[in-house]
Amino acid sequence: PRAAPLVKAPLAGMTAPGPKGQLPIIRKDGLTPFQAYRRPYAREGAQPRIALVVSGLGFNAEITKRAIEELPAQVTLSFVPYAGNLQRWIDLARAKGHEVLLEIPMEPFDVGAVDTGPQTLLAQAPAAENIARLEDLLSRAVGYAGITNYQGGRFANSAEAGGVLADQLKARGLGFIAGGLSGRSPAAEQARARKLAFAASDRVLDVRRDADSIAAQLLALETQARDGGEALGAGFAFPVTIAQIASWSVDLQARGFELAPASAVAEARMAR
């Protein structure tokens, strides 16, 4: 079904000059970017709810367009800050009803195995350096409710670096939806200590990039949601992932589940 577009970003009074453009800020009346730019959500009943984040969007135009147009509006979309036409993609996603996250590269365990880009947040970097890198990334677009991580195994194991990140997100009123990182990591504990709107994914859908494996992970999310009331999954913008989510979601409500934006799960877990 066609979803109502989200409010056009940026809202007045919610930006300040940054290195590459505009940085998100909390408005003088207390409205945060997380509150302003998340997808509006009201729980319809007692059905268990499932939230999904699809990341890695913005580099491949065809795949990005497919994700925006073919996935239900309740699916949260995450965009790579280095992508060309980043603001255009975010605007298009929000016009289709998707809430948006900005994907922040963080230091992995195996630095040589993956290119996380020049502005990667580092576990052992001085606080000022990580803050400067974060501001560079955050100022590249507007309209996102929070961030998610790209990689970050080593970074998440540093309480000091995680605390610096959490302080910056808290000061700017942003949420943090972690994908593929332990919810018990030092960085996760720092986010909770500052009462961020924070949630760590319960499952990564496409560690194995085949349809049957992704379908099995989606079913496992259903089981978890049925047992605990909610579940959060994370996946990458692979064609097979997009196709499986789109197919799985068609009759989700008839099977007794509610699809919710990731912000709703983060807010619920923060309240607990």
Side-chain angles (χ1 to χ4, degrees):
R2 184 180 298 274
L6 302 188
V7 62
K8 187 171 177 57
L11 294 180
M14 301 201 71
T15 59
K20 289 286 194 300
Q22 297 295 307
L23 283 165
I25 61 172
I26 301 173
R27 206 163 66 181
K28 289 182 178 180
D29 63 2
L31 183 68
T32 68
F34 178 79
Q35 295 165 335
Y37 299 134
R38 60 178 293 187
R39 177 179 169 80
Y41 172 78
R43 195 163 192 176
E44 296 178 0
Q47 288 184 319
R49 56 187 172 182
I50 300 172
L52 298 175
V53 178
V54 174
S55 61
L57 294 164
F59 275 149
N60 184 302
E62 180 182 352
I63 295 299
T64 302
K65 187 176 180 181
R66 277 191 59 190
I68 292 171
E69 295 183 351
E70 296 179 16
L71 293 176
Q74 293 89 342
V75 175
T76 300
L77 302 182
S78 172
F79 288 83
V80 181
Y82 304 128
N85 297 316
L86 177 62
Q87 190 63 61
R88 175 179 171 274
W89 286 124
I90 289 177
D91 290 345
L92 182 58
R94 291 181 55 78
K96 293 291 186 179
H98 297 278
E99 74 179 11
V100 168
L101 302 175
L102 192 67
E103 205 161 307
I104 301 300
M106 303 179 191
E107 185 178 7
F109 282 118
D110 190 351
V111 177
V114 58
D115 181 11
T116 52
Q119 300 299 332
T120 301
L121 305 189
L122 304 174
Q124 300 301 318
E129 181 178 342
N130 274 338
I131 291 171
R133 292 182 176 210
L134 181 65
E135 290 184 348
D136 178 287
L137 297 166
L138 293 179
S139 65
R140 296 181 181 217
V142 296
Y144 49 88
I147 71 157
T148 188
N149 56 289
Y150 174 61
Q151 300 290 323
R154 185 183 299 277
F155 181 89
N157 272 278
S158 168
E160 183 177 354
V164 171
L165 173 62
D167 283 337
Q168 292 299 306
L169 297 178
K170 183 70 173 181
R172 297 195 177 280
L174 296 168
F176 183 9
I177 311 295
L181 297 178
S182 170
R184 299 181 179 179
S185 68
E189 293 301 327
Q190 294 296 318
R192 291 193 190 93
R194 288 153 177 82
K195 301 188 184 303
L196 285 184
F198 171 81
S201 64
D202 301 306
R203 287 185 174 271
V204 176
L205 302 179
D206 41 19
V207 174
R208 291 179 56 191
R209 218 176 300 175
D210 65 81
D212 288 343
S213 177
I214 294 168
Q217 293 296 332
L218 289 166
L219 288 175
L221 285 175
E222 291 185 21
T223 299
Q224 180 170 341
R226 190 180 295 112
D227 293 343
E230 66 187 29
L232 173 62
F236 199 78
F238 301 123
V240 65
T241 304
I242 294 171
Q244 284 300 113
I245 293 174
S247 176
W248 165 84
S249 65
V250 169
D251 61 349
L252 187 65
Q253 190 168 14
R255 300 201 310 275
F257 297 92
E258 182 180 356
L259 192 59
S263 60
V265 172
E267 186 175 56
R269 293 183 180 180
M270 176 178 63
R272 293 198 295 268

